[in-house]
Structures are given as C-alpha cells and as structure tokens.
Amino acid sequence: PAEQSKPKKAEPEKPKPKALEKPKPVKKLKEPKAEKGEPALQKASESAEAKAASHAAAEQAPKRKSITAMLVSLVEKHKRYPKAARRAGMEGVVLVEFTVDSSGKVTGASVIKKSGNGPLDSASQELSNRIIGTAFNVPNAGMKIQVPIRYSLD
C-alpha cells in the first residue's frame, strides 16, 4: 500500500519589522530680501497702518452693533402688519438697507429684497421712509445696515 503523505502545517511567516523611515526635513520658504535702498522703516510703518486699521475696525464693531440694535428695535416698534395681508394669511421677510451717516443719523433706506407679497413690501417701504431722519447720536464712520423685517402670523 502506498503511504499517504501527511500535509505539513505551514507555519505563518513572522512579519519582519520594517525599518522606520526618517521624516523628511521640511523646507523653509525664504523670505524675500529687501531691495537695496528700501528703507527699513517701511515695514514698521505698514505694520503701524495695519494696527491702526484693525484698531479702528475694533472700535467700529461695538458702535455698529449698538446702532444695529437700536435700528432693529425701532423697526419692530413701528412695524405695522397690513390688515389685508393678515386676512389673506400673507407672511414674509423684507430686507431693508438703511444708510447711517457719521453723526449717527439715518439718511436713507431702500428695500433690497422683497417678500413677494405686495402689501408687505409696501408696508416695509413706508416704515423705512418714516425712519429716515432718526438720529441715534452715536458717532461712527458712516455705514449701511441691512435689517430684515419679518411678518409672521404666529
């Protein structure tokens, strides 16, 4: 009888430890060299101008928030929901842009995005016209502020 050969168990090969790759050095970007004859003070003055601009913007931010808050409050106080629109179940948002001069006075207003419902758009235009001339007495650099006027039946 022929001998049957027993299958040998194959031993799994042990994974060889990989050689750790060294991280590649990161190349540093070279800064452009100053041209000859360029004053060294120019960089300092640019930095001072940038700081002054950011400082002015930082001062304007609270004023802008303050004027915006007062403007939104005024809009909400004087907003009137047209009766015809209320009866018809109309709702919508009208975006109005107000122009405020450097003394804090509202000098202009215009509807920049209509709701699509005529009575609501007309009421918003009338409201914005009534607000023109209001003075908030907050000195600023002059700005344009967009205020959404929401008409909701809730």
Side-chain angles (χ1 to χ4, degrees):
E3 286 186 28
Q4 293 179 351
S5 62
K6 294 182 180 177
K8 294 182 180 179
K9 292 184 179 177
E11 292 183 27
E13 292 184 26
K14 294 181 181 177
K16 295 179 182 179
K18 293 183 181 179
L20 295 175
E21 293 181 21
K22 294 181 181 178
K24 295 180 182 178
V26 177
K27 293 182 181 179
K28 293 182 180 178
L29 297 176
K30 294 181 181 178
E31 292 184 18
K33 294 181 180 178
E35 293 181 21
K36 290 182 180 177
E38 182 179 305
L41 295 176
Q42 185 175 0
K43 288 184 181 180
S45 67
E46 287 174 1
S47 176
E49 288 173 5
K51 285 180 181 178
S54 67
H55 182 66
E59 284 184 2
Q60 270 308 100
K63 290 178 183 176
R64 182 177 185 87
K65 287 180 182 178
S66 172
I67 292 173
T68 302
M70 289 188 282
L71 194 53
V72 168
S73 175
L74 188 64
V75 165
E76 288 301 316
K77 181 179 177 181
H78 293 287
K79 179 173 69 173
R80 296 183 188 130
Y81 208 122
K83 289 180 183 178
R86 188 181 297 268
R87 275 187 253 124
M90 292 182 189
E91 293 185 332
V93 178
V94 180
L95 190 60
V96 178
E97 184 174 74
F98 293 94
T99 304
V100 181
D101 69 6
S102 59
S103 67
K105 183 177 180 182
V106 178
T107 58
S110 61
V111 173
I112 59 173
K113 185 178 177 190
K114 296 182 176 184
S115 68
N117 295 316
L120 301 181
D121 298 337
S122 297
S124 297
Q125 185 64 55
E126 290 170 15
L127 170 61
S128 60
N129 290 338
R130 285 193 313 267
I131 290 176
I132 293 175
T134 302
F136 294 112
N137 298 322
V138 178
N140 62 73
M143 58 186 71
K144 292 188 178 201
I145 301 172
Q146 295 180 359
V147 177
I149 301 174
R150 299 184 197 296
Y151 294 93
S152 178
L153 294 172
D154 294 349

